[in-house]
């Protein structure tokens, strides 16, 4: 099943009619293995341990995600972890952007909005992954501040317009960050929830996939990404009590991060090179808008 950048995914069709999905966490097949090797363990969003932990937590909270049938992390026969997971027979939410029946669109995206509202309502007084909960006491947006600076530096090496405007973009980043007031409550978020990370079954029930990066964090981080990825359909998902300063800061961070991400996919042989080039071009233009009058 093509398109993933961090794990390999196969559909298994059995002779008795049963189907399931095989997840393989093989770092040699991961397009971001260099970052995983150097990043702080508390910031990692890759691996079978996080998948298992988040799958259990989401299921306990009534948040739909494919059932985990079995997970093997013994590495006795293979050098990688793998899992067998429920196969959801359907399409991604992205396919419903162009569905001819507006009533079906209403049903699906309202259900997705309700699902996300339920997930985000799970709160903690500290941020972070479930395996490091209670250890982070600083402001969580500062993690994204540091990441944005790293990704901006990387993008500047390869994109002329970003390199030329690097100091202005850095100034804009600091300016947006300075407007954020501290907080001490965080919701449980997916972390990278685009419409391609939502599967829809025949009953129009949405299921969240690629859940390794889920954590307690500012829900504005999630909502700014939803706004970016769902476009007009974000109207079904938006809520009223979001901090506009956080929304703008995280939106800027996403654009910068996606330039860098597109470049790394381009440089590391991702099969869909046009997709990678599109990411770089679109998000470079979007980033530069933050410094244009």
């Amino acid at each position: 099943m093509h398109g993933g950048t961090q794990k390999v995914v196969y559909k298994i069709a059995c002779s008795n009619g049963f189907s399931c999905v095989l997840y393989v966490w093989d770092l040699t097949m991961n397009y971001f293995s260099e970052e995983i090797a150097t990043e702080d363990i508390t910031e990692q969003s890759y691996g079978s341990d996080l998948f298992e932990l988040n799958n259990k937590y989401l299921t306990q909270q009534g948040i739909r995600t494919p059932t985990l049938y079995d997970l093997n992390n013994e590495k006795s026969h293979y050098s990688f972890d793998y899992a067998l997971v429920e196969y959801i027979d359907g399409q991604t939410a992205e396919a419903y952007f162009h569905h001819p029946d507006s009533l079906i669109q209403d049903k699906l995206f309202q259900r997705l909005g309700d699902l996300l509202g339920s997930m985000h309502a799970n709160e903690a007084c500290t941020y972070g992954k479930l395996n490091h909960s209670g250890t982070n006491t600083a402001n969580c947006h500062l993690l994204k501040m540091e990441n944005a600076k790293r990704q901006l530096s990387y993008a500047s090496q390869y994109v002329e317009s970003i390199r030329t405007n690097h100091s202005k973009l850095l100034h804009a980043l600091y300016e947006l960050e300075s407007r954020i007031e501290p907080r001490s409550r965080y919701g449980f978020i997916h972390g990278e929830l685009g419409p391609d990370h939502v599967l829809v079954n025949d009953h129009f029930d949405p299921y969240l996939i690629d859940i390794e990066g889920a954590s307690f964090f500012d829900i504005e981080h999630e909502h700014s990404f939803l706004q970016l990825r769902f476009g007009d359909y974000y109207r079904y998902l938006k809520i009223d009590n979001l901090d506009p300063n956080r929304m703008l800061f995280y939106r800027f961070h996403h654009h910068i991060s996606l330039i860098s991400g597109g470049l790394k996919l381009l440089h590391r042989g991702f099969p869909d090179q046009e997709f990678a080039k599109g990411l770089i071009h679109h998000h470079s233009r979007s980033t530069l808008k933050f410094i244009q009058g």
Side-chain angles (χ1 to χ4, degrees):
M1 301 175 75
H2 299 290
T5 61
Q6 297 221 53
K7 63 178 177 287
V8 189
V9 182
Y10 302 90
K11 179 187 175 186
I12 297 177
C14 301
S15 58
N16 65 356
F18 175 77
S19 294
C20 65
V21 174
L22 172 67
Y23 287 168
V24 176
W25 288 274
D26 184 350
L27 275 173
T28 66
M29 302 292 286
N30 187 308
Y31 290 95
F32 297 97
S33 57
E34 293 178 30
E35 286 71 28
I36 291 169
T38 57
E39 69 187 353
D40 188 303
I41 192 170
T42 62
E43 296 182 43
Q44 284 189 2
S45 57
Y46 171 82
S48 65
D49 54 340
L50 285 172
F51 175 80
E52 182 177 33
L53 199 60
N54 291 333
N55 183 280
K56 181 178 180 181
Y57 181 78
L58 290 171
T59 301
Q60 288 175 338
Q61 307 308 316
I63 308 302
R64 280 186 297 272
T65 189
T67 301
L68 172 59
Y69 295 143
D70 188 49
L71 186 144
N72 188 299
N73 55 12
E74 297 173 355
K75 296 184 176 66
S76 54
H77 296 291
Y78 305 99
S79 61
F80 48 78
D81 298 346
Y82 59 92
L84 295 174
V85 180
E86 178 185 10
Y87 173 67
I88 304 299
D89 190 7
Q91 303 180 86
T92 66
E94 198 164 20
Y96 287 83
F97 286 177
H98 309 291
H99 198 282
D101 191 334
S102 61
L103 292 178
I104 288 177
Q105 286 181 325
D106 288 345
K107 177 185 289 188
L108 168 62
F109 290 110
Q110 284 170 4
R111 285 183 177 181
L112 180 57
D114 292 341
L115 187 73
L116 297 181
S118 296
M119 180 172 68
H120 294 161
N122 291 279
E123 292 188 330
C125 59
T126 57
Y127 67 88
K129 305 291 190 300
L130 291 175
N131 58 350
H132 289 97
S133 59
T135 61
N136 300 309
T137 56
N139 293 313
C140 69
H141 74 275
L142 295 177
L143 288 178
K144 301 304 176 182
M145 178 71 175
E146 292 306 309
N147 183 62
K149 290 192 290 185
R150 287 195 301 271
Q151 306 315 324
L152 188 60
S153 177
Y154 185 87
S156 295
Q157 298 177 52
Y158 303 100
V159 182
E160 175 63 30
S161 60
I162 301 300
R163 178 165 57 250
T164 302
N165 292 283
H166 182 271
S167 60
K168 292 181 180 178
L169 291 168
L170 197 58
H171 177 78
L173 184 65
Y174 276 104
E175 171 62 27
L176 291 174
E177 189 278 327
S178 70
R179 302 176 192 173
I180 296 178
E181 298 291 333
R183 72 159 46 134
S184 58
R185 299 295 295 174
Y186 305 95
F188 197 73
I189 70 169
H190 177 281
E192 194 186 5
L193 192 56
D196 52 333
H197 290 160
V198 180
L199 294 179
V200 182
N201 69 10
D202 292 340
H203 301 290
F204 309 111
D205 296 318
Y207 288 73
L208 306 185
I209 62 170
D210 289 347
I211 57 173
E212 289 92 322
S215 67
F216 288 102
F217 212 79
D218 283 338
I219 64 170
E220 287 85 358
H221 182 276
E222 188 106 292
H223 272 275
S224 56
F225 195 74
L226 293 169
Q227 190 179 52
L228 189 158
R229 292 296 313 279
F230 280 82
D232 291 341
Y233 295 93
Y234 176 66
R235 67 184 185 274
Y236 292 97
L237 314 177
K238 66 186 298 185
I239 58 175
D240 296 329
N241 60 337
L242 297 169
D243 177 358
N245 291 326
R246 279 179 165 81
M247 287 290 288
L248 198 58
F249 170 78
Y250 286 127
R251 178 72 178 237
F252 194 35
H253 166 271
H254 293 318
H255 287 309
I256 294 170
S257 183
L258 286 165
I259 301 170
S260 177
L263 285 164
K264 290 169 185 176
L265 292 178
L266 189 68
H267 299 159
R268 298 171 186 177
F270 186 66
D272 193 343
Q273 293 281 284
E274 290 306 310
F275 170 76
K277 291 175 184 177
L279 274 183
I280 298 162
H281 179 68
H282 174 76
H283 292 288
S284 293
R285 291 176 58 191
S286 298
T287 296
L288 292 170
K289 287 179 181 178
F290 278 77
I291 59 171
Q292 294 167 352

